[in-house]
Amino acid sequence: MRGVCDFVELDESVFDFVKSIALKNASQHNGRTNVNVVLSHLMSTKLDLKISVDKLLPIIKEVVQEVNNLSIERQGVLIQEFSKYYKEEKSFEKGVSLQELANAEQGKVITRFPPEPNGYPHIGHAKAAIIDEEYARMYNGKMILRFDDTNPLNEKIEYYQAIRDGLEWLGIKPDLVKNTSDDILVLHNYGKRLVSEGHAYICTCTSDIIHKNRAEQIECDCRRNQNEANDRLHRMFDGQYSQNEAIIRFKGDMQSLNTVLRDPTLFRIIDHPHPLLGSKVRVWPTYDLAAPIEDSMDGVTHALRTKEYELRNELYYSILSRLKMRSPILIEFSRLEFDGMPVSKRKIKPLLEGGIISSWDDPRLPTLIALHHRGFVPEAIRKFILGLGITLAETKPPFETLESINRKMIDPISLKLFFVSSPVELRVEGGKFGKIELRNHPTQDLGNREVEIANKFYIASPDAEDLQIGQKVRLMELYNIKILEIRYENNKKVLIGSYEGDRVIQNIKKIQWVAENDAVEFSVKVPKELFIGDIYNPNSLELKTGYAESFVSKLKAGTLVQFMRFGFCSILNGKSATYTHR
Ligand code: ATP
Ligand code: MG
């Protein structure tokens, strides 16, 4: 039925496209949509509709009316029918957006996520791990979780577990879990082979000399003197050198413009117990040696890593070619970073050690444990990451993008409750007394709660500041009042109001409240940017205190709530919560 306007010269697909947007929006808003929302969605799509807004408007009006008249069930059926249009939406809505991998065969792709257990995993690791996993699934292949644990100075058992927990929370199930240190003897053997075949040498120069020679592109005597190689090799592995006395270096190319190739370190001696192997092993491979060999041995077909390793690619391929080992394809993607938030263990650790933050789950951090405790859900993180796609372009998306994805996901499962910060007393004359029942969610079945009300309430101080004598305001879910008087008792502001009926009045302010006899002291930790530019922000963790409904004391830690007109929060205990986002 298209009575309102003439579609004769319009492409049929315009009408359908408008309808797809209206349906989608209605499905997110209890079966109702409206003209403005549909128009703004249309304007934000990249599609060239070749039609002006004034021609579009009557179409939108008609479609909105039609959609609003349908039952929710019927809307659901139509959404299925219009599914092809949703593929055209922005990448964040679209979800999976990974491009094909080069030389990938179904059933044969093997990827790996190789974290070093030297800290808690963060959202950057989520990016790497999710991409590895998605590709493995896309090609019916396998994904390996490999702990790259070859620097005992930095690694701890606690961190292996934290990484496992983080991945489990994200819903990532590796097909194989292993440690690089499991293969330490194999790696030693490859190192020995490189030396005995003349591709590597034991260097006993001081680190200053090594540094200088690298800069000046000079080959040292250790490199030239092949006669001593075997003797030195024995000494290296027999414990006859002390730490810092000798390293094994790759015979790269001291003349190369790529400084990475100027005889990089393959093994060094570290006298520090390893979390899994204890003090049995002293000679530890570097990442440059271990990564290519492990990837090759593990059958990895596509090794994805962040862009900063790009200059090391030549070395990676070169080591494998000297060892005549199969080489995976290296693929780079950009590091995920945020303004004001350190997405790197290297940056987070000094903050912990310096006492600036006290734990890995501090809500100002983008670690997975912090995001979890703060109220983010793993589905939102996955959607966010996949929306970014795998690109080499610097990814510094606004953190708000993740927040808005999360908000949409937790909105239907968050209990809608009241919290008033910096409370101000409100007394109402003529209002009802006794028990009332409030719904925990306007549209979802999240149960009800009972609140005993009398004539005393608390409201939030920003609201109290705003209200004028004579103004009408609605106490949300309760009734309307009129402000009669604003007075001070013992230097405290008190508002006096009169009951003005139950019926919702259009266009008056609605404010949250807590009944005096139902109020419990409550505080919310609100994380802000940890850094402004490069400078630590001393106000990065704000504590908002006030009263919440006593119902909060019944909630388990981790329950997600939306304190109306305040924000989404994750309950810590009966007295406090962490702010998730607006
Ligand atoms: P950090 O600076 O946090 O120590 P890292 O790169 O040293 O980072 P690893 O544990 O060695 O951390 O990294 C494991 C994998 O995660 C690597 O493939 C690395 O490229 C990837 N990765 C680490 N940080 C990020 C990030 N911010 N964005 C995307 N991928 C990342
Ligand atoms: Mg690292």
Side-chain angles (χ1 to χ4, degrees), residues 90-98 382-383 385-388:
K90 282 185 295 190
S91 57
F92 281 111
E93 290 304 319
K94 192 166 64 171
V96 179
S97 62
L98 298 180
R382 189 178 284 262
K383 189 168 182 183
I385 299 286
L386 292 173
L388 297 171

Side-chain angles (χ1 to χ4, degrees), residues 1 51 153 174 222 224 252 288 307 314 405 428 431 456 515 519 533:
M1 289 287 113
I51 173 173
L153 289 172
C222 305
R224 272 179 261 128
D288 282 334
K307 204 168 70 171
E314 205 179 335
I405 294 172
V428 180
K456 284 188 187 168

Side-chain angles (χ1 to χ4, degrees), residues 18 20-29 32-45 57 60-61 64 68 408:
V18 173
S20 74
I21 291 179
L23 282 164
K24 185 79 178 288
N25 181 253
S27 76
Q28 290 159 348
H29 295 92
R32 310 272 313 164
T33 182
N34 69 59
V35 173
N36 286 338
V37 172
V38 175
L39 180 64
S40 70
H41 272 268
L42 268 174
M43 294 293 115
S44 67
T45 57
L57 264 176
I60 299 176
K61 279 187 187 148
V64 164
N68 283 345
K408 274 195 198 146

Side-chain angles (χ1 to χ4, degrees), residues 113-116 122 124-125 128 306 333 335-336 343-346:
F113 171 59
E116 184 180 3
H122 50 62
H125 294 115
T306 38
F333 58 87
R335 277 183 93 83
L336 172 60
V343 188
S344 168
K345 290 171 284 185
R346 258 160 292 180

Side-chain angles (χ1 to χ4, degrees), residues 113 115 120-134 143 163 166-167 169-172 306 333-334 336 338 343 366-369 371 377-378 380-386 388 402:
F113 171 59
Y120 276 62
H122 50 62
I123 192 159
H125 294 115
K127 173 172 178 180
I130 287 171
I131 290 176
D132 286 323
E133 195 206 26
E134 288 284 341
M143 183 238 188
I163 293 167
L167 295 192
W169 178 66
L170 287 173
I172 294 177
T306 38
F333 58 87
S334 61
L336 172 60
F338 293 115
V343 188
T367 53
L368 298 180
I369 193 169
L371 292 168
V377 290
I381 291 175
R382 189 178 284 262
K383 189 168 182 183
F384 170 70
I385 299 286
L386 292 173
L388 297 171
L402 173 61

Side-chain angles (χ1 to χ4, degrees), residues 371-377 406 409-417 440 446 555-563 567-571 578 580:
L371 292 168
H372 179 186
H373 291 174
R374 183 172 159 180
F376 283 84
V377 290
N406 196 63
M409 288 185 177
I410 65 172
D411 183 60
I413 53 169
S414 298
L415 303 168
K416 314 292 173 187
L417 305 177
N440 293 338
L446 300 183
L555 303 176
K556 280 201 295 224
T559 304
L560 301 179
V561 302
Q562 182 186 12
F563 285 126
F568 288 86
C569 293
S570 172
I571 296 291
T578 310
T580 314

